[in-house]
Amino acid sequence: MFYSCAGSCAGLAARGSPAPPRAAPPLPPLLLGEPGEESSLEEQRAAPDAGSPISSFFNGSGTKRLPQAIIIGVKKGGTRALLEFLRVHPDVRAVGAEPHFFDRNYERGLAWYRDLMPKTLDGQITMEKTPSYFVTKEAPARISSMSKGTKLIVVVRDPVTRAISDYTQTLSKKPDIPTFESLTFKNRTTGLIDTSWSAIQIGIYAKHLENWLLYFPIGQILFVSGERLISDPAGELGRVQDFLGLKRIITDKHFYFNKTKGFPCLKKAEGSSKPHCLGKTKGRTHPDIDQEVVQRLRDFYRPFNMKFYQMTGQDFGWD
């Protein structure tokens, strides 16, 4: 029995020409950490996005389109949770894997990128998420070149907690890496923070945002609180749905709180009648970190946080 998809979305914005070259603010070189857990592009091609029950019913109909909205960051901020929650919406179709097109695969071209996308019907939004875009210097100009109208979503989290979570993920893969404390400082005695370490650098949100604002107006970027995504997922999803021009279909009734993991889970996942929590790699227990080091990091990030609050018009309450 047919029924129509709820909500609506503007069609893919016309592809604009690249923004005029402007000097982006210099960033220290990234020492990239381990990539997040994600399925490979090969796996994605072999087992494409399952799709909502509505879209699955049409099996094969629709058109592959370049994304109208992209979750561009940040790593260990809650991007996977946001994407999984959004995919419950019948008007959202998203790539499961992280394409890394605008940072690692740009030379493959837009046709390759479009081919990764799921098919959509009229009124549905195509999305992807790759958290490393936010800290990639070339990404804003490249996305603007694809479409100046692309809507951008950034999930941010207390940068100190984010850095520890980032380290915890790497530690799970490389148990013999140095301690968090030793990696944090260039010189422990003087307390000089090592901003070349990616776990630290990613959290300097204001610096990265300056680069994006050379190509996109602030109103085209939505900033989602990673903390509120845990404490009030329906509230944050309401803001995201409004930003995307979608009907508010994802509400409190879709979530329950998993006390073991410490974050919300879906009562019914997309295309399933069973409850769904994120995988075992999410919600890891963080190692105990020297509180003096934590305080040094809070002092380091404070001025950057204040600037970020001013730039976004939002106080995330990280102090």
Side-chain angles (χ1 to χ4, degrees):
M1 182 173 175
F2 290 91
Y3 65 102
S4 62
C5 295
S8 62
C9 168
L12 176 64
R15 276 176 263 169
S17 56
R22 283 177 281 182
L27 294 176
L30 277 174
L31 298 182
L32 294 175
E34 288 294 301
E37 291 82 0
E38 57 188 70
S39 59
S40 69
L41 291 173
E42 288 72 21
E43 290 171 331
Q44 177 189 318
R45 287 180 182 276
D49 180 52
S52 68
I54 298 173
S55 298
S56 297
F57 183 86
F58 288 94
N59 189 24
S61 64
T63 305
K64 290 191 175 189
R65 298 178 173 91
L66 292 168
Q68 297 102 315
I70 303 175
I71 300 173
I72 59 173
V74 301
K75 181 185 178 186
K76 307 309 294 180
T79 60
R80 172 56 59 186
L82 177 60
L83 186 71
E84 292 300 310
F85 296 163
L86 273 175
R87 289 170 78 183
V88 172
H89 200 293
D91 286 350
V92 171
R93 299 281 287 135
V95 183
E98 294 175 0
H100 284 281
F101 175 65
F102 295 104
D103 57 353
R104 302 179 193 169
N105 294 300
Y106 194 62
E107 73 286 349
R108 293 175 180 258
L110 285 172
W112 178 87
Y113 184 47
R114 183 193 289 112
D115 191 52
L116 296 178
M117 301 300 140
K119 291 182 178 180
T120 54
L121 305 173
D122 289 343
Q124 292 183 315
I125 293 177
T126 302
M127 294 187 67
E128 71 117 316
K129 77 109 177 170
T130 303
S132 53
Y133 290 164
F134 189 63
V135 298
T136 300
K137 186 177 178 181
E138 299 82 8
R142 289 172 174 177
I143 294 176
S144 176
S145 178
M146 175 187 74
S147 172
K148 295 180 185 298
T150 307
K151 292 185 176 182
L152 308 172
I153 300 174
V154 186
V155 188
V156 289
R157 179 185 185 187
D158 180 330
V160 178
T161 310
R162 197 223 64 82
I164 296 171
S165 180
D166 198 334
Y167 173 80
T168 303
Q169 176 175 294
T170 305
L171 184 66
S172 71
K173 298 177 180 182
K174 298 180 178 180
D176 57 344
I177 62 171
T179 65
F180 180 88
E181 290 85 352
S182 64
L183 291 169
T184 296
F185 298 103
K186 280 186 176 178
N187 186 316
R188 181 73 184 265
T189 304
T190 62
L192 182 63
I193 303 294
D194 188 355
T195 57
S196 69
W197 183 29
S198 66
I200 300 295
Q201 191 197 82
I202 290 171
I204 310 175
Y205 304 138
K207 193 177 185 75
H208 302 302
L209 181 56
E210 285 177 345
N211 191 30
W212 287 88
L213 294 180
L214 295 175
Y215 298 91
F216 292 93
I218 193 74
Q220 212 165 307
I221 308 174
L222 180 70
F223 300 92
V224 173
S225 165
E227 286 82 12
R228 287 196 295 269
L229 198 57
I230 294 173
S231 64
D232 180 20
E236 284 300 279
L237 265 292
R239 294 179 59 241
V240 176
Q241 290 171 97
D242 290 348
F243 174 71
L244 295 175
L246 297 169
K247 183 177 179 181
R248 285 199 178 196
I249 288 178
I250 306 170
T251 62
D252 280 324
K253 69 182 181 183
H254 288 90
F255 300 99
Y256 73 95
F257 192 81
N258 184 305
K259 293 181 180 179
T260 303
K261 282 187 168 289
F263 53 72
C265 302
L266 290 167
K267 290 181 180 177
K268 291 183 180 181
E270 178 200 24
S272 172
S273 60
K274 298 179 180 179
H276 172 68
C277 281
L278 297 180
K280 63 182 181 180
T281 60
K282 307 300 180 182
R284 293 187 184 95
T285 301
H286 290 178
D288 290 329
I289 306 297
D290 186 329
Q291 285 306 300
E292 179 191 350
V293 174
V294 171
Q295 189 57 50
R296 289 279 187 92
L297 275 176
R298 294 211 172 279
D299 294 340
F300 166 77
Y301 279 121
R302 188 170 295 109
F304 296 108
N305 291 345
M306 295 302 108
K307 184 176 181 181
F308 186 66
Y309 296 172
Q310 291 173 349
M311 295 171 77
T312 61
Q314 293 178 238
D315 184 338
F316 292 89
W318 292 323
D319 279 332

